[in-house]
Amino acid sequence: MKQVTLFAIALLLTVSTLKAQPRWTAQQANDWYKKQGWIRGCNFQPSTAINQLEMFQAASFDRQTLDKELGWAEQLGFNAMRVYLHHILWTTDPEGFKKRLDEYLAISSKHGIKTIFVFFDDCWNDEYHPGKQPAPKTGVHNSGWVRDPGTMIHNHPDSLAMLEKYVKDVMTTFKNDNRILLWDLYNEPGNSSYFEKSFPLLKAVFAWAKDVNPSQPISAGVWSWGNKYKELNKFQEENSDVITYHHYGYVDKHKELINELRRYGRPMICTEYMARRNGSLFQTIMPMLKQENIGAINWGFVAGKTNTIYAWGTPMPDGKEPELWFHDIYRTDGTAFSQDEIKTIKSLTGKK
């Protein structure tokens, strides 16, 4: 109780000092969306990085792989990538981190790709540290991915001020950068059984972003629809300039969710989909999203250290390539899991 109270007080003191800008009107959001063309791409992690830290730390920032793999994305006709950040990249090396973000954006824009940057995340491992990252666990999905900030914020609410400086510094640096498509403020808030514990940080990051008032829209995607997420979802939907969401299920259920979210009259981007074992396939979901004029950002691109060809909760201790990949499109040699999928994607992006 004491920790929650301290966090609430810290949040109140932080947010009360802001002169937040209002949410974009639906007209503003729709006008912005019309200028983008149909948004399509993936959640991007280079094959040589196990997590957000290995992707952007100086010692492991792999320019060559970024250029090569984003070139493959360009060949597919992708025009947007969703990329995760982490606050300790900033606390350990703020200027170097921002310089590498700029380098990444230069590489991606060379290939005609805009970026959706993600700040916070409630998924996977709770412990993290700068420096050398662990090797992947054989056959285990996303074994090295890390939360941000994770349980730390509940145990150390005084960290809120540091997180505010981080978010504002990064956003202010790139607030007018047209290489950035959208700011995704918080991935899957409430996951890892945090539920309402994530609410204070969710509210705070929206307030910080609105205070910066970037030229790009802000959002935080809805992803789970149980009663424990009802208030979180309501806040996300009512404060996002553009509605973003995740759906890994069959096309019929996906359409039902779209119909529910249309009540906001705002453009929509599906920022996570495509899990073959779950029936969320390129051949069914991507054409539907294009027809509905909804952005399509699947999970995974090149099979690598994240091990996302393996399914959630179904490790393969022998590390063999599964017959049915869960996520991802290409192997590291550039060969595809499925040529039929490549044909589908290129037909939809005009690259056939």
Side-chain angles (χ1 to χ4, degrees), residues 24-35 241-242 264-268:
W24 282 13
T25 65
Q27 186 65 53
Q28 283 177 295
N30 284 303
D31 287 346
W32 168 85
Y33 192 69
K34 288 175 185 177
K35 296 175 183 177
D241 298 322
V242 173
Y264 292 102
R266 292 175 176 267
M268 289 187 277

Side-chain angles (χ1 to χ4, degrees), residues 233-276:
N233 289 350
K234 185 173 185 289
F235 181 86
Q236 289 164 245
E237 292 163 359
E238 293 182 353
N239 286 274
S240 293
D241 298 322
V242 173
I243 300 296
T244 59
Y245 70 93
H246 301 172
H247 198 284
Y248 284 109
Y250 198 67
V251 66
D252 293 24
K253 291 293 184 181
H254 198 145
K255 285 182 179 179
E256 288 178 13
L257 176 62
I258 289 169
N259 290 334
E260 290 178 18
L261 294 175
R262 285 212 186 278
R263 67 185 183 275
Y264 292 102
R266 292 175 176 267
M268 289 187 277
I269 304 173
C270 178
T271 49
E272 290 188 25
Y273 79 100
M274 210 290 288
R276 296 178 182 90

